[in-house]
Structure formats: structure tokens, C-alpha cells
Amino acid sequence: MSGAQGQPRQSGRALRTAVLLSAGFLQGVCLILVPAGSFIWKAPEWSGLTDQQYGSLFLAMVLAAITSSAWLQRLMAWCGKTPVFYAGIISNALYLGALLATTVTAGHQTLSFLVLVGGNLLLGLGFGWLVAVLNILVVDLYPLRRDPAITGLHACLGSGAAVAPLLVTFFSAQGMWHLSALVCLVGFGVTGIWAWLSGSTVGPAMETAAVRAQRQESSA
């Protein structure tokens, strides 16, 4: 069924679930790219970060994640779930862009550090927004199976985190470590478009027979 003009149509629940789980998987990859590539960021021929600079990257991410989570409810009340979902996607994409930018700043420690700090601030914002709204969206899709739905989402996050070191190791062996970030960036682009076309973040979940029966029993 098509929505109003200018709005994405809502597709089947299985497709919408796949979109949301894909976003969760990619978020898991993003979280581990920097730890998995520590040997890159500390290498003198690349960013040349000190241990203190490298550790501060995670502090920036944590502070940004706490801030974004603290303001999440107000933000969603103001603009709804869809803008928050895409804000998370865009923040993660900008973070990946910052990682790619370090290929240009290679050999310039201070500049590389500033780029990476900015990128990790964006990662924290993206993580705080995207994971929170994904939890809400999967529960909307499976209101009577919320625990398995959330567990499945978190399993995808964990799977992405497990795949990230493999990506970095594989591409680093080819002398092209930056492709790990580029692959993830393309994945977020595809997922964002897929989410829009399928209406994965728009409107309430389709009412299942079980939910309809429960609602009718409650009103009887």
C-alpha cells in the first residue's frame, strides 16, 4: 500500500526487519573499526598517535554517546523516529568519512588526531541515536515478541563488531586498510536508501493477527 505523495511506502515486515538489522550490523562494525585499526593510527607513517591521544578517541566517543542518549527523548518528541534514524546514519557516515580523511593527513600527527577526535564524536552521536531508535522500531514491528526482537538486533550489533577486525585485517594485508571504512560507508548509504524506499521507519508496525486478537479481547 502506497503512502501519501512524497512519503516512502511501507513494505512487508520481513523486509523492514532486514533493513533495521542491517543498520544494526553496520553500527557494530563502526564501533570496532578504530580499535581494530589501532596499529594504523599509532604507526608513524600514518597518524602516529601517542597512547594518550589514542585513548582520548574513546573518551570523545563515550561523552558524545551519553549526550545523544540524554537528549534522545526530547529529540524524538520534537521530530519523530525517522529524522533520528537518519541523523544516526549520517553521523556514522561522517565518522567513516573522517577515517578515510586520515589517508590524506598521513604523517601529520596533530591534524590526524583532530580529524579522528571529530570522527569519534560523530560516532558517539550516531551510536546513541541509531541504536536507541532501532530498539524502538524493532519493538514496533514485534510488539508481542519484543525480547526476541531486541535480542536479534543486539546479535547483529555483536556480529558487526566481530566482523570489523576481519575487514581491517583483510584490507590491511592488501595495503588498502581504508577500504574497510569505505565498504561500511557504502553499506550505510545503501541501507539508508533501502530504509526510505521500504518505509522501515515510517508509521506504526503492521497489525498482526495475534495483536489484533489481543486488542479485541481487551476491548470486549
Side-chain angles (χ1 to χ4, degrees), residues 50-97:
T50 65
D51 289 340
Q52 292 77 12
Q53 288 175 325
Y54 178 72
S56 66
L57 299 180
F58 301 99
L59 177 61
M61 182 194 73
V62 170
L63 290 175
I66 292 172
T67 301
S68 62
S69 297
W71 287 90
L72 179 68
Q73 292 302 323
R74 293 184 182 182
L75 185 61
M76 289 188 62
W78 176 56
C79 63
K81 289 177 284 190
T82 297
V84 175
F85 174 85
Y86 283 103
I89 293 284
I90 292 170
S91 294
N92 277 285
L94 291 174
Y95 153 75
L96 292 165

Side-chain angles (χ1 to χ4, degrees), residues 8 19-20 75 79-94 125-126 129-130 133-134 137 188-202:
V19 173
L20 300 179
L75 185 61
C79 63
K81 289 177 284 190
T82 297
V84 175
F85 174 85
Y86 283 103
I89 293 284
I90 292 170
S91 294
N92 277 285
L94 291 174
L125 292 174
W129 287 330
L130 187 58
V133 78
L134 285 175
L137 290 169
F188 266 122
V190 172
T191 300
I193 295 171
W194 193 12
W196 177 258
L197 294 177
S198 64
S200 297
T201 66
V202 178

Side-chain angles (χ1 to χ4, degrees), residues 15 36 39 94 106 111 145 151 167 192 220:
L15 175 58
F39 62 95
L94 291 174
L111 185 55
R145 301 177 60 193
T151 299
L167 279 176

Side-chain angles (χ1 to χ4, degrees), residues 138-152:
V138 296
V139 169
D140 284 349
L141 281 175
Y142 299 95
L144 295 184
R145 301 177 60 193
R146 57 184 300 150
D147 289 341
I150 291 176
T151 299

Side-chain angles (χ1 to χ4, degrees), residues 9-175:
R9 69 180 182 85
Q10 289 190 1
S11 299
R13 186 165 63 170
L15 175 58
R16 296 168 68 190
T17 301
V19 173
L20 300 179
L21 295 183
S22 296
F25 176 84
L26 290 169
Q27 182 66 83
V29 175
C30 278
L31 284 174
I32 306 299
L33 280 180
V34 167
S38 60
F39 62 95
I40 298 168
W41 317 125
K42 293 183 179 183
E45 66 272 21
W46 287 106
S47 299
L49 300 186
T50 65
D51 289 340
Q52 292 77 12
Q53 288 175 325
Y54 178 72
S56 66
L57 299 180
F58 301 99
L59 177 61
M61 182 194 73
V62 170
L63 290 175
I66 292 172
T67 301
S68 62
S69 297
W71 287 90
L72 179 68
Q73 292 302 323
R74 293 184 182 182
L75 185 61
M76 289 188 62
W78 176 56
C79 63
K81 289 177 284 190
T82 297
V84 175
F85 174 85
Y86 283 103
I89 293 284
I90 292 170
S91 294
N92 277 285
L94 291 174
Y95 153 75
L96 292 165
L99 297 189
L100 292 171
T102 61
T103 60
V104 179
T105 62
H108 300 278
Q109 182 190 59
T110 301
L111 185 55
S112 295
F113 172 65
L114 292 175
V115 169
L116 288 169
V117 167
N120 275 263
L121 285 170
L122 290 165
L123 173 62
L125 292 174
F127 174 78
W129 287 330
L130 187 58
V131 173
V133 78
L134 285 175
N135 276 292
I136 294 170
L137 290 169
V138 296
V139 169
D140 284 349
L141 281 175
Y142 299 95
L144 295 184
R145 301 177 60 193
R146 57 184 300 150
D147 289 341
I150 291 176
T151 299
L153 173 63
H154 292 178
C156 286
L157 276 164
S159 297
V163 166
L166 301 179
L167 279 176
V168 173
T169 300
F170 174 78
F171 286 117
S172 294
Q174 316 304 316

